[in-house]
Amino acid sequence: MDPCDTPACQSAREIFHELEEYYDEHNLYFQTIGSVLEAANLLDVPHRLKLILTQPKNEIMVHCPVKMDDGTWQLFKGYRVQHNNVLGPYKGGMRYHGEVKLDEVKTLALLMTMKCALARLPYGGAKGALKIDPRAVSKDELERVTRRLTAALGNNIGPDYDIPAPDMGTNSQIMAWMADTYINFAESSNKVTARGVVTGKPLEFGGSAGREKATGQGLVYVLDAMLPGMKMDLSELSCSLIGYGNVGSWTGRLLQARGTRLKAVMDHTGAIRNAHGIDAEKLALYVAQTGGVKGYTEADAIDEPDFYSTPVDLFIPAALEQMVDLEHAERLQCKVLVEAANAPTTPRAERHLLAKGIEVLPAILCNAGGVTVSYFEWKQNRQSETWDEELVDERLRTVMTRSAQRVLDTAARLNCNMRMASYAAAIEHIDKVYEMRGVFP
Ligand code: NAD
């Protein structure tokens, strides 16, 4: 295949040569940093900023030996990548997945830096992962490996330094075990604020109202801000979703409450469709009981090509990275692709969609609701406050609406697409802070 000659690839290639680093053009990290550098090239920012953003500050890898229920031992690989902390403590989710790789974690950490900067949160970007299939182990095994991972990360995490949260394959229970383990190691004078080491905790143990639904809720607020400019109204639209976990199921339910019809859903178990609409609430109950959408009787089972070619207004990937490739993009019949998952669209697919007149709303804008309410949780923990859901939602709406407006203004000013505009708006903020702080020493 010919070398990629897009501005994103050229930007990344130049920097990787300068750093004398190996690169692979098909690698997700290379593609993502390429896009970020392309956006930086639209701005008048110093070269040193591009160098800094190209590599994460720290890449931590740990190995956790854990005794399984049957008495055998397994060694699990854990990661924490801390991309940048010029805006504040590192912040980002912990992913549990059987096929997770370092470059995926690096990509997600970079996106967290961009996401927090775009939303103007006082956080840097990080991401962690454990190479494990959480569905294939018992609850006791999951607890032991989580506690061992937390202990292995030690002072590489902390409420003032690096604050994990739930992501794919993790939930509030796992956050509770992480917090409890960390608190047990904390100095007695720090025990009160130590639970702020993670966010996304259960409500009874320092969690925030509205955190579980936050990513879906934030996405709905972004659509509220973006759709009027495209002459669209949620109450008249249809959608389909990839993924019906935390983000997918909340997005489906909250959109349904606003009058949007859910036509098709695909997850790791299969795909279903009902042109008259799938009840998002009933499907959420079904998935909670069975583990997936397969076998749901109030919709037809369909194959993957049919899922992608189902005509809808909003196509919303809320599962893994890179699921919408060129072949899938060629099938899509939607008006807007709304990225709820991180990096779900390949660069080639995105170019194809934009050429076809399909708008692509980027993940760092659409799914920032999760980290925003995580920030509210961290703030409540530090101030020993408890906010009610109305207050959380109101503040979340303000953050998401301002971010959406920032992206629209930047797109108009730089005459670029939404992804370039969202990265540019983030980079401008990071650049200003480096300008004021300087680069140590
Ligand atoms: P989750 O584990 O709750 O759900 C993941 C979903 O993806 C499940 O429905 C699963 O069936 C589906 N899935 C997995 N493999 C699949 C495959 N091969 N084909 C189709 N579907 C598949 O995870 P989540 O927390 O909902 O996260 C989903 C995405 O949203 C991830 O990209 C994550 O990084 C991103 N995200 C999550 C949050 C959050 O607060 N949880 C915040 C921001 C972004």
Side-chain angles (χ1 to χ4, degrees):
M1 203 184 275
D2 291 339
C4 164
D5 63 354
T6 62
C9 284
Q10 283 164 6
S11 310
R13 208 180 290 128
E14 275 168 30
I15 293 258
F16 275 69
H17 275 307
E18 183 177 343
L19 295 171
E20 297 183 6
E21 285 285 339
Y22 165 81
Y23 68 87
D24 167 5
E25 295 185 351
H26 306 291
N27 172 290
L28 180 61
Y29 187 73
F30 178 88
Q31 292 175 353
T32 311
I33 190 65
S35 250
V36 169
L37 293 168
E38 183 186 350
N41 288 340
L42 300 176
L43 304 164
D44 182 23
V45 294
H47 185 66
R48 67 154 198 232
L49 180 64
K50 298 178 202 171
L51 287 176
I52 291 171
L53 292 177
T54 296
Q55 291 288 23
K57 278 204 172 174
N58 306 309
E59 297 171 28
I60 301 152
M61 243 187 269
V62 295
H63 293 94
C64 307
V66 174
K67 195 171 188 174
M68 308 307 281
D69 293 346
D70 64 3
T72 60
W73 288 83
Q74 280 191 31
L75 194 63
F76 295 94
K77 189 188 272 286
Y79 304 92
R80 188 75 188 165
V81 174
Q82 297 166 331
H83 179 263
N84 188 278
N85 63 349
V86 74
L87 300 183
Y90 298 109
K91 184 90 187 85
M94 287 300 297
R95 171 171 294 193
Y96 283 11
H97 194 272
E99 275 145 42
V100 75
K101 296 200 173 61
L102 177 61
D103 275 337
E104 175 186 339
V105 189
K106 281 171 69 174
T107 304
L108 295 167
L110 162 67
L111 289 174
M112 283 306 295
T113 299
M114 293 293 125
K115 199 179 296 182
C116 294
L118 174 62
R120 305 298 191 254
L121 301 177
Y123 287 139
K127 201 80 178 190
L130 185 69
K131 194 169 178 321
I132 188 172
D133 177 357
R135 297 189 196 96
V137 296
S138 71
K139 190 172 176 194
D140 284 348
E141 289 166 340
L142 203 57
E143 175 172 355
R144 284 199 292 278
V145 69
T146 297
R147 289 188 184 278
R148 181 74 200 217
L149 171 68
T150 311
L153 289 174
N155 285 334
N156 289 302
I157 56 171
D160 295 319
Y161 183 63
D162 183 356
I163 308 139
D167 188 72
M168 197 175 237
T170 56
N171 54 25
S172 58
Q173 173 62 77
I174 290 175
M175 294 304 113
W177 290 326
M178 286 191 81
D180 182 71
T181 307
Y182 184 83
I183 290 168
N184 271 284
F185 283 107
E187 304 271 329
S188 51
S189 54
N190 293 335
K191 294 244 189 241
V192 175
T193 51
R195 65 183 179 170
V197 64
V198 292
T199 55
K201 297 182 291 293
L203 205 49
E204 301 79 3
F205 176 42
S208 176
R211 174 61 184 90
E212 211 194 298
K213 65 166 187 172
T215 307
Q217 185 68 73
L219 182 142
V220 173
Y221 291 150
V222 167
L223 291 177
D224 276 338
M226 302 299 268
L227 291 183
M230 302 177 205
K231 307 269 178 287
M232 284 194 243
D233 185 312
L234 280 180
S235 65
E236 295 162 2
L237 303 183
S238 60
C239 70
S240 55
L241 279 161
I242 313 181
Y244 215 69
N246 172 292
V247 179
S249 72
W250 276 110
T251 300
R253 283 177 276 173
L254 293 164
L255 284 177
Q256 178 169 283
R258 298 290 301 278
T260 306
R261 187 156 41 106
L262 177 60
K263 274 171 88 173
V265 181
M266 180 171 80
D267 72 0
H268 72 288
T269 63
I272 56 169
R273 179 170 63 192
N274 184 339
H276 303 295
I278 296 169
D279 186 324
E281 294 287 351
K282 269 195 194 169
L283 183 64
L285 286 175
Y286 179 81
V287 170
Q289 283 162 4
T290 64
V293 301
K294 191 177 173 187
Y296 185 66
T297 51
E298 293 181 36
D300 299 323
I302 53 171
D303 61 14
E304 193 183 275
D306 277 348
F307 170 78
Y308 280 100
S309 51
T310 300
V312 281
D313 298 298
L314 309 175
F315 184 84
I316 312 176
L320 293 170
E321 292 76 37
Q322 306 289 279
M323 290 198 68
V324 184
D325 59 16
L326 181 60
E327 195 188 324
H328 295 142
E330 283 169 349
R331 291 185 197 279
L332 285 185
Q333 299 185 55
C334 64
K335 294 187 181 124
V336 188
L337 184 145
V338 189
E339 292 189 339
N342 288 305
T345 318
T346 68
R348 289 174 81 200
E350 181 174 19
R351 284 198 296 281
H352 177 81
L353 293 172
L354 293 175
K356 235 167 56 171
I358 295 174
E359 186 58 89
V360 179
L361 298 181
I364 69 158
L365 170 64
C366 297
N367 71 21
V371 67
T372 303
V373 177
S374 273
Y375 166 57
F376 297 160
E377 177 178 332
W378 181 74
K379 234 167 120 87
Q380 291 169 74
N381 289 167
R382 293 175 93 80
Q383 294 159 355
S384 297
E385 282 187 9
T386 308
W387 302 357
D388 59 28
E389 194 170 323
E390 286 71 29
L391 181 62
V392 169
D393 284 354
E394 184 192 316
R395 292 188 175 176
L396 176 62
R397 184 189 275 280
T398 303
V399 172
M400 301 309 288
T401 308
R402 283 187 187 152
S403 296
Q405 195 54 50
R406 210 167 275 136
V407 172
L408 288 171
D409 293 347
T410 310
R413 176 162 51 89
L414 300 177
N415 188 24
C416 62
N417 66 43
M418 298 293 177
R419 188 178 311 280
M420 285 298 108
S422 63
Y423 286 153
I427 293 165
E428 277 178 325
H429 183 56
I430 295 171
D431 180 43
K432 266 190 210 130
V433 177
Y434 268 118
E435 206 56 52
M436 284 180 272
R437 286 184 60 166
V439 179
F440 183 81

